[in-house]
Amino acid sequence: MRNQSIQLEDLYKQYARPLYLYLLKLCGSIPLAEDLTQETFVRATIHLHTYEGEEARAWLFKVARNTYLDEWRKHKRRRTIPLLSIFSSKVEMISPYGVPEESLLTEELNQQLEGLLKFLPEQYRSIIYLREYEQFSYKEIMNALQMTEEQVKVTLYRARRRLATLAEKKGWQYDRME
């Protein structure tokens, strides 16, 4: 028992922030993301006995995603799922010596990307987020989203294509994925 609490504490220290950011991207609400992060660890504690040695990071993201989906189902009447207005506002990552115009353009581009992502289905947003922002491997995505490797590849491809189509409709120019 002491071993489990130590492991869970270690998992919390290591993954609470990434899980919070992931949930924040999905729900777009800071208080809700905090609640969902807390709920994720409560569920992880309860279901720790079902943890079968898969990678802890992927397992926790799977628990977080299921927590989010349960919350979303509770509020199904909502027409849209709001996203955080600052999609990738990693203030700590911005160099104090950077060029202000480049930072402004990058921020504007990220906000436009955020605007496009909210039109994607949850599964597409999740898979793009896990792969592009969290740098998950295909295996980790398989575990997190309970998919086969082929499903991960196909879904990621379709998500990127849908995002590219949306970007094209908005008049963006991009390098084609072929």
Side-chain angles (χ1 to χ4, degrees):
M1 185 67 171
R2 178 165 161 63
N3 234 357
Q4 283 183 346
S5 65
I6 290 171
Q7 288 178 344
L8 195 59
E9 184 178 328
D10 292 342
L11 291 176
Y12 182 83
K13 287 178 183 173
Q14 190 170 359
Y15 296 115
R17 180 89 177 138
L19 288 170
Y20 165 75
L21 294 174
Y22 169 64
L23 291 165
L24 186 59
K25 300 283 188 262
L26 289 179
C27 71
S29 164
I30 291 173
L32 182 57
E34 290 171 349
D35 289 346
L36 291 173
T37 303
Q38 185 177 13
E39 179 65 23
T40 297
F41 279 99
V42 168
R43 288 183 181 194
T45 303
I46 293 169
H47 299 288
L48 192 59
H49 68 280
T50 64
Y51 176 67
E52 296 176 353
E54 50 196 283
E55 288 190 39
R57 183 169 82 146
W59 180 69
L60 284 171
F61 272 82
K62 180 168 61 178
V63 173
R65 179 175 183 256
N66 289 336
T67 303
Y68 166 75
L69 290 174
D70 288 346
E71 179 65 25
W72 184 78
R73 285 183 197 110
K74 288 179 187 173
H75 295 92
K76 212 172 189 175
R77 284 187 254 156
R78 285 188 284 179
R79 293 184 151 221
T80 60
I81 302 169
L83 285 174
L84 180 67
S85 61
I86 305 168
F87 185 70
S88 61
S89 64
K90 299 176 181 172
V91 176
E92 68 276 6
M93 300 299 289
I94 297 172
S95 168
Y97 305 106
V99 179
E101 291 83 12
E102 287 180 12
S103 296
L104 184 64
L105 288 174
T106 301
E107 186 174 327
E108 191 173 302
L109 189 63
N110 285 336
Q111 287 179 353
Q112 290 176 354
L113 180 60
E114 171 197 342
L116 291 178
L117 285 173
K118 74 179 180 183
F119 291 108
L120 295 178
E122 179 279 327
Q123 188 178 43
Y124 285 2
R125 280 185 286 144
S126 284
I127 203 163
I128 286 176
Y129 179 80
L130 294 177
R131 182 68 179 172
E132 303 300 333
Y133 292 93
E134 290 294 326
Q135 308 296 315
F136 270 42
S137 68
Y138 288 129
K139 185 179 179 187
E140 289 173 318
I141 294 172
M142 287 169 43
N143 291 333
L145 301 182
Q146 296 177 308
M147 303 170 104
T148 66
E149 184 174 348
E150 287 302 314
Q151 288 172 323
V152 168
K153 289 179 180 177
V154 168
T155 305
L156 183 60
Y157 176 78
R158 288 178 180 165
R160 287 175 174 160
R161 294 289 298 176
R162 173 107 37 111
L163 186 62
T165 301
L166 288 171
E168 198 170 72
K169 287 180 181 176
K170 294 285 184 185
W172 287 24
Q173 294 182 351
Y174 60 92
D175 296 330
R176 290 220 172 257
M177 311 179 309
E178 303 296 343

